[in-house]
Amino acid sequence: MTPSPTSPSALLEFLRTSYPSAVSSSACETDISALSHQIFPSNSYTDNEKIETSQWLTTSSRLATPDEDEAKHAERLGSLNIHLSTRTTLLGSKPSVADVALYNRLAPAVKSWSAEERTGEHGYHNIVRFIDFVQNAPLFGLSIKDEDKVDIDLNDVKFVHKPLDAKEEKERKKKEKAAAAAASASGGQSVLPIGKGKGEDNSKSSKKEQARDAAAKAEDKVKSALTGENTQQPKKEKKEKQPKAQKQPPKEIPLSPCLIDLRVGHILKAENHPNADSLYVSTIACGDASGTENTSEFEGQVVRTVCSGLNGLVPLEEMQGRKIIAVCNLKPVTMRGIKSAAMVLAASPRLKEGEVDSHKGPVELVTPPADSKAGERVEFEGWAGEPEGVLNPKKKVWEMLQPGFTTTTGLEVGFDMDAVPQLQGEEGGQKPIGKLVTASRGTCTVKSLGNAVVR
């Protein structure tokens, strides 16, 4: 039986044909992700690049699945097109087996694309360029007959995308905000530009009225001079201005851990920070809607970029593909050149009196229940409520509440109000430690650190 052109065995056969000395006859499908160095021996690959190669191999197999949902398929293609807009290869400029796999699985589909799908306004320009590069570049040296290559005319571009000017885009958004505010202030009515009427007819009638008024005033002056009577209308009395109603101060929201937006996050990719030895940079799905501020797209999912000081404390392998708990409404901060849009919760031993934190660990990530989903809200029992949008850094909400984040002797994560001075004397008296739970009441835990600090 002939294997499907999109199956792993078909990909392995394609690799053997192009690289017979690098891909042995005994190689199996599970060996594909490790073939980059054998195929491209002049290149070396970091652990992060090996992980990324493996992820792109998975993505390429999904793109080749014929029965995938059409909307999801278009979303994946869109994300890939954006990824390739600033890269020559999937890893940037370095070739890998993932590039060959993506070509093998996408080339048959690109062959059948219309000109509009290839280079139209909503086409996949960068994917088409990538396919042409891989099949023709000596860097890859693929063994493909000319008649089997995808026929691509690089000059046949139906729509040229204008490069986005950052300053123009900022100015455009500023104008849109101002226009929206003006429309809101006028009760939804359109605001006419100063000096403009509603039309030419109105302008003409206005001039006639002004002429009539001037004639009437002149007539009144003549009558007044002849009769000595004052024919002018008495001036209207000015109405006293009423004092403006004082704006009510914003309602003070009671301090509560529910103000902190805690969600299940799924780390799709983690790598070392290029400019800081103590930081990781993680790509995390937190359930955000498409277009949410400070998010991007990765493998068809809306994600946040998160910097965490866990390098050297948690092995990089443990960060890959795992579920965590993220604080999602802290104000984004730039950490050594990379903007971080959330924070990963982790536990560390509680310091004894007089002890100084050496930041040497141990550290354990807070783990949600295995069946939880990315974006699922988590909250402390007994502290239900809606989180703030973005916490105001000046109010120090996180700084006041964080001392109450703890683990129990049973390794469950909870909130202890006794550790928060600002909550002492609150109505309702003391509360027991509230467990951190998901909507389905599953409890968040740590591996071994009991009575630990969580931050």
Side-chain angles (χ1 to χ4, degrees), residues 165-178:
D165 187 293
K167 286 185 179 179
E168 284 184 9
E169 183 67 7
K170 189 175 181 181
E171 192 62 31
R172 183 185 66 78
K173 288 182 178 179
K174 192 175 177 182
K175 286 179 181 178
E176 282 182 358
K177 275 189 179 179

Side-chain angles (χ1 to χ4, degrees), residues 252 255-256 259-260 330 388 390-403 420 422:
E252 194 66 30
L255 187 66
S256 165
L259 298 177
I260 299 171
L330 297 176
E388 287 277 86
V390 176
L391 294 175
N392 186 342
K394 294 180 180 178
K395 293 186 177 180
K396 305 290 184 185
V397 175
W398 166 251
E399 289 80 358
M400 285 190 284
L401 292 168
Q402 183 275 320
V420 181
Q422 293 83 354

Side-chain angles (χ1 to χ4, degrees), residues 149-404:
K149 290 181 179 179
V150 182
D151 186 15
I152 296 173
D153 181 359
L154 295 178
N155 296 316
D156 184 17
V157 178
K158 300 299 178 187
F159 183 86
V160 178
H161 288 273
K162 181 185 176 184
L164 189 66
D165 187 293
K167 286 185 179 179
E168 284 184 9
E169 183 67 7
K170 189 175 181 181
E171 192 62 31
R172 183 185 66 78
K173 288 182 178 179
K174 192 175 177 182
K175 286 179 181 178
E176 282 182 358
K177 275 189 179 179
S184 175
S186 63
Q189 296 178 351
S190 59
V191 180
L192 290 173
I194 295 171
K196 300 283 184 180
K198 288 188 178 180
E200 196 176 328
D201 292 340
N202 282 357
S203 178
K204 287 179 180 178
S205 62
S206 177
K207 286 179 181 178
K208 287 178 182 178
E209 286 172 6
Q210 288 174 7
R212 280 199 297 268
D213 288 344
K217 284 180 181 178
E219 189 178 344
D220 286 341
K221 283 182 180 179
V222 172
K223 283 182 180 178
S224 178
L226 293 172
T227 63
E229 295 177 0
N230 186 7
T231 59
Q232 290 186 349
Q233 294 290 328
K235 290 182 179 179
K236 291 183 180 179
E237 291 184 7
K238 289 184 178 180
K239 289 184 180 180
E240 288 186 13
K241 288 184 178 180
Q242 296 294 326
K244 289 183 179 179
Q246 293 290 327
K247 286 184 178 180
Q248 293 294 324
K251 189 176 178 181
E252 194 66 30
I253 301 172
L255 187 66
S256 165
C258 75
L259 298 177
I260 299 171
D261 186 0
L262 298 171
R263 302 186 212 165
V264 175
H266 183 194
I267 301 178
L268 302 178
K269 181 177 71 169
E271 56 193 3
N272 295 316
H273 193 298
N275 305 318
D277 293 339
S278 63
L279 299 178
Y280 285 141
V281 181
S282 302
T283 301
I284 306 178
C286 295
D288 295 291
S290 181
T292 301
E293 195 172 1
N294 297 311
T295 64
S296 57
E297 289 196 7
F298 178 75
E299 290 194 343
Q301 296 191 59
V302 179
V303 295
R304 297 183 181 215
T305 298
V306 180
C307 297
S308 54
L310 299 170
N311 197 338
L313 299 171
V314 177
L316 185 58
E317 296 73 32
E318 286 187 24
M319 298 287 291
Q320 308 295 340
R322 67 168 295 159
K323 303 274 182 66
I324 49 90
I325 298 298
V327 181
C328 293
N329 62 343
L330 297 176
K331 187 176 180 180
V333 293
T334 300
M335 303 176 75
R336 301 294 293 271
I338 295 179
K339 185 186 267 191
S340 178
M343 185 174 73
V344 177
L345 280 188
S348 58
R350 196 175 297 276
L351 295 176
K352 295 174 183 175
E353 192 173 345
E355 190 178 358
V356 178
D357 191 355
S358 61
H359 301 287
K360 291 182 180 178
V363 170
E364 293 177 359
L365 297 178
V366 175
T367 304
D371 60 351
S372 58
K373 291 180 173 58
E376 188 174 349
R377 279 285 314 281
V378 292
E379 62 185 17
F380 293 104
E381 287 182 331
W383 297 94
E386 285 302 309
E388 287 277 86
V390 176
L391 294 175
N392 186 342
K394 294 180 180 178
K395 293 186 177 180
K396 305 290 184 185
V397 175
W398 166 251
E399 289 80 358
M400 285 190 284
L401 292 168
Q402 183 275 320

Side-chain angles (χ1 to χ4, degrees), residues 424-445:
Q424 303 310 307
E426 290 288 311
E427 289 184 14
Q430 300 299 305
K431 294 183 181 181
I433 292 179
K435 296 177 186 176
L436 186 62
V437 296
T438 61
S440 57
R441 314 321 287 175
T443 306
C444 300
T445 59

